[in-house]
Amino acid sequence: MAGLTVRKAMEIPALAGARLLAGEDGLDRVVQRANIMEVPDILPWVKPHELLLTTGYPLRNTPQGLSGLVAELDARGLAALAVKLHRYLDALPEEMIHEADRLGLPLLLLPDAVGFDDILNQVLTGVLNKQAAALERSWEVHHALLSVVLEGGGLTELVTKTSAVLGVPVMVTTADGRVLAESGNAEDLGSWRHTPCFDTSGRFRTEYEPGGVHSHVDVPGWHAVVSIVAGRVDHGRIVAFARHRALDDADVNVLERAATVAALAVNKQLAVTAVESKYRGDFLRDVLSGRAGDRDRIVAHCESLGWDVGRDLVVVVAELDPDHGHAGTSGLQLRPVQERFTVAWQSVMGRRDPRAAVVGFAQEVVALLPVGPRPDPESVVRDVVRQVSGDGGGGRRSFSTGVSRIVDDPSRLPVGYEQARRAVDVGRQMNGRGSLAHFDSLGSFRLLSQIEDREELRGFVRETLHGLAAEDDPEMEDLRHTLKVLLDTNLNVAEAARQLHFHYNTLRYRISKLERMLGPFTTDPELRLDLALALKVLQMRGIG
């Protein structure tokens, strides 16, 4: 509900002669009503955002003392206390003034000539006028914003209109903080993105940002956050930033109107996107399965969809890792996780290259990532994955990613797709959740991963490594590490000792112990190959 700040209330004629004794820090408290204290036990009837008027008569025998009274009034959300002294109380005690200053509760001393009825009338008139103006402005804004959607506008037009109304930068994000649209001074927007409100990937940290108006000690200015909710589905946030003025409830009211309209725009966009995504997904699925026709047809059709596939690309496949966590306890529902995962990839890729194809399938997201003249696909993909992941906040799940070799012809996209899918599967087995694997880095793991008989692999490990296969024995784990370093250094004892930080003789002793367990691997190349494969099998998750 709108109201007057204490600072504004002091400007009305009836309070023009009032003197502020304490609580200057609380002058921005909001006054929504006024009341008169006539007896000492009025506390149970004190309401939040109230301007309380009193004289020395009810204060003279306050049971808890005047400083205690101030603390209790502050706890009840009082906006300000205004006192008119007379024969019952000559002056307010210093401890009362000190307590009001400490709490930031404005304490006003009224002149003798002022009448309480004048203050009540003028304050309430000011509050009503403020509320009426806010309501009128709110409805005007609502109709203006609604016209944006009815005229075919989307979130970009909506934030542009809202930013113009408020005179501050505004952005719309997903529920986990990915920016969908923004408007306002570019310099201000850039400055806000470098504050702790955002992580390094540019994601607004919704998990740390409550609704309403607030500020942070290490962030300049103010910002207001309102949820975009349709039914019981949380579609995101609308956020306003103000560097040079304080935001208030009237600004939040405008944002709430904008959030209602944004929910309509989001639902409209979701309906359109669902149809477009199915069409795009069906065609890309045909491309990746080799059923889309020759090169010219693929390139031409992709061009009509806004995709450029006539350049060097890598196929990237990203899959959500199995969820071992618990669902959130919020009463709101999020859009399906796979849908949100797809949107995250599309928003990140859209900023990087709007002509890159990104499609979400039932269990995976597929992106055709362009590589530059100096191709370094792994670092490019790593950067995209970092941005999609953000800082791990916002309730997102971990995912694994696979990258193909460079595809220089659209007709070879099916091969690249299979390589990327293989990289996802093997990478997750090698490195667990959140892995990023390039097909060329898989080496012999590609072959091992195709062996479906897991028991046969376990048997090979036990027969080759013998006691060294025990994964729950710290001593055997230590010896396996020694064996791996020896094999990696091609049995260069001096180099292996340096990497293991062992004395040369200590490593010679360990080699003798390993040979007693495993056989003469220092002289038998076939045995060394078996041992290296067994260690790789053991490295694969869920095999050993």
Side-chain angles (χ1 to χ4, degrees):
M1 184 185 296
L4 301 174
T5 64
V6 177
R7 193 187 311 275
K8 287 291 184 183
M10 291 180 66
E11 296 175 3
I12 67 174
L15 288 175
R19 183 159 61 94
L20 181 68
L21 296 180
E24 184 177 1
D25 291 344
L27 288 178
D28 289 321
R29 294 190 184 208
V30 176
V31 177
Q32 294 177 347
R33 56 181 66 86
N35 195 2
I36 299 175
M37 179 195 291
E38 296 178 338
V39 292
D41 61 347
I42 197 174
L43 276 173
W45 290 274
V46 171
K47 295 181 174 61
H49 304 296
E50 193 167 70
L51 171 62
L52 189 59
L53 310 173
T54 188
T55 66
Y57 176 74
L59 296 180
R60 72 193 193 286
N61 294 319
T62 304
Q64 68 273 53
L66 293 180
S67 60
L69 175 66
V70 167
E72 292 196 33
L73 290 172
D74 180 71
R76 283 166 169 75
L78 192 74
L81 176 64
V83 181
K84 183 164 61 170
L85 299 175
H86 57 16
R87 64 182 182 277
Y88 294 105
L89 197 64
D90 295 329
L92 298 179
E94 286 298 322
E95 61 269 21
M96 179 184 185
I97 295 174
H98 175 75
E99 183 69 3
D101 226 14
R102 185 183 71 83
L103 296 172
L105 176 66
L107 182 59
L108 310 179
L109 183 61
L110 301 174
D112 291 337
V114 69
F116 282 175
D117 55 343
D118 291 334
I119 297 176
L120 285 175
N121 289 335
Q122 292 179 23
V123 167
L124 293 177
T125 299
V127 169
L128 290 174
N129 288 340
K130 181 86 171 181
Q131 291 175 356
L135 188 60
E136 183 179 359
R137 180 192 185 208
S138 175
W139 278 108
E140 287 176 357
V141 168
H142 178 73
H143 289 303
L145 297 177
L146 190 59
S147 68
V148 170
V149 177
L150 295 177
E151 291 169 5
L155 292 177
T156 299
E157 291 78 12
L158 181 65
V159 294
T160 300
K161 192 74 162 180
T162 308
S163 176
V165 169
L166 296 178
V168 298
V170 174
M171 62 176 57
V172 169
T173 77
T174 61
D176 67 351
R178 303 187 184 283
V179 178
L180 299 176
E182 63 185 18
S183 181
N185 183 278
E187 185 177 342
D188 283 348
L189 284 168
S191 297
W192 277 101
R193 285 181 180 276
H194 288 90
T195 69
C197 294
F198 293 80
D199 66 31
T200 55
S201 71
R203 184 184 69 85
F204 182 65
R205 291 179 166 176
T206 52
E207 66 274 21
Y208 301 125
E209 299 292 341
V213 176
H214 51 281
S215 61
H216 300 301
V217 175
D218 50 355
V219 177
W222 297 76
H223 52 285
V225 181
V226 171
S227 295
I228 300 172
V229 178
R232 298 203 55 78
V233 180
D234 184 356
H235 287 296
R237 306 288 183 272
I238 183 165
V239 190
F241 301 97
R243 183 178 296 275
H244 305 298
R245 73 171 178 88
L247 297 172
D248 56 23
D249 289 345
D251 298 307
V252 172
N253 193 270
V254 171
L255 288 179
E256 287 172 346
R257 297 289 183 184
T260 301
V261 179
L264 294 175
V266 169
N267 278 326
K268 171 188 167 186
Q269 185 59 43
L270 286 175
V272 173
T273 301
V275 176
E276 290 181 348
S277 294
K278 185 178 187 311
Y279 180 70
R280 290 166 177 251
D282 287 346
F283 180 72
L284 187 59
R285 189 177 283 106
D286 286 344
V287 171
L288 299 178
S289 62
R291 299 194 303 266
D294 58 22
R295 180 190 186 283
D296 291 341
R297 182 178 183 279
I298 293 173
V299 171
H301 197 82
C302 285
E303 188 71 29
S304 70
L305 297 175
W307 298 338
D308 181 5
V309 297
R311 49 184 172 169
D312 289 353
L313 306 163
V314 290
V315 181
V316 179
V317 172
E319 289 182 1
L320 289 166
D321 294 322
D323 185 17
H324 301 305
H326 299 286
T329 57
S330 169
L332 294 177
Q333 303 171 3
L334 294 172
R335 282 152 50 195
V337 63
Q338 185 66 25
E339 181 183 321
R340 287 182 282 127
F341 185 47
T342 301
V343 169
W345 273 89
Q346 289 173 338
S347 62
V348 170
M349 286 300 301
R351 290 194 299 269
R352 175 180 287 269
D353 188 334
R355 293 176 60 75
V358 184
V359 169
F361 295 143
Q363 302 295 328
E364 63 191 14
V365 173
V366 179
L368 307 184
L369 209 67
V371 293
R374 292 184 175 179
D376 184 9
E378 190 162 351
S379 66
V380 173
V381 175
R382 193 173 300 280
D383 185 52
V384 172
V385 167
R386 178 188 63 81
Q387 293 183 57
V388 173
S389 300
D391 65 352
R396 292 185 309 284
R397 279 169 46 184
S398 68
F399 59 92
S400 298
T401 312
V403 188
S404 74
R405 291 171 174 157
I406 293 177
V407 177
D408 58 4
D409 189 292
S411 63
R412 292 187 52 78
L413 284 171
V415 175
Y417 176 56
E418 289 304 317
Q419 291 173 351
R421 291 185 63 190
R422 175 62 59 186
V424 171
D425 292 339
V426 179
R428 188 182 280 131
Q429 291 181 59
M430 290 168 55
N431 304 310
R433 297 162 62 87
S435 69
L436 170 60
H438 192 286
F439 182 75
D440 281 337
S441 69
L442 302 181
S444 56
F445 285 107
R446 285 169 24 212
L447 300 176
L448 294 173
S449 68
Q450 296 186 58
I451 300 176
E452 295 182 0
D453 190 342
R454 295 303 192 238
E455 190 55 44
E456 180 65 28
L457 288 174
R458 296 187 189 97
F460 174 74
V461 170
R462 290 193 297 268
E463 293 167 8
T464 306
L465 296 179
H466 304 289
L468 216 61
E471 292 189 85
D472 56 354
D473 187 331
E475 182 184 359
M476 295 300 102
E477 183 179 358
D478 188 37
L479 284 173
R480 283 200 306 273
H481 180 60
T482 300
L483 176 62
K484 182 178 185 306
V485 173
L486 281 166
L487 295 175
D488 289 346
T489 58
N490 200 26
L491 298 183
N492 185 325
V493 179
E495 176 60 21
R498 186 189 67 79
Q499 292 187 23
L500 292 166
H501 306 290
F502 287 162
H503 188 277
Y504 184 87
N505 290 336
T506 301
L507 184 56
R508 295 298 312 176
Y509 169 76
R510 285 200 165 212
I511 291 173
S512 298
K513 185 175 182 178
L514 285 168
E515 289 203 304
R516 287 196 298 272
M517 296 176 66
L518 305 172
F521 67 88
T522 58
T523 58
D524 186 345
E526 292 294 329
L527 178 55
R528 287 200 297 275
L529 176 60
D530 288 347
L531 291 172
L533 287 174
L535 290 175
K536 287 183 179 294
V537 172
L538 206 57
Q539 184 181 340
M540 295 172 68
R541 305 297 174 100
I543 300 297

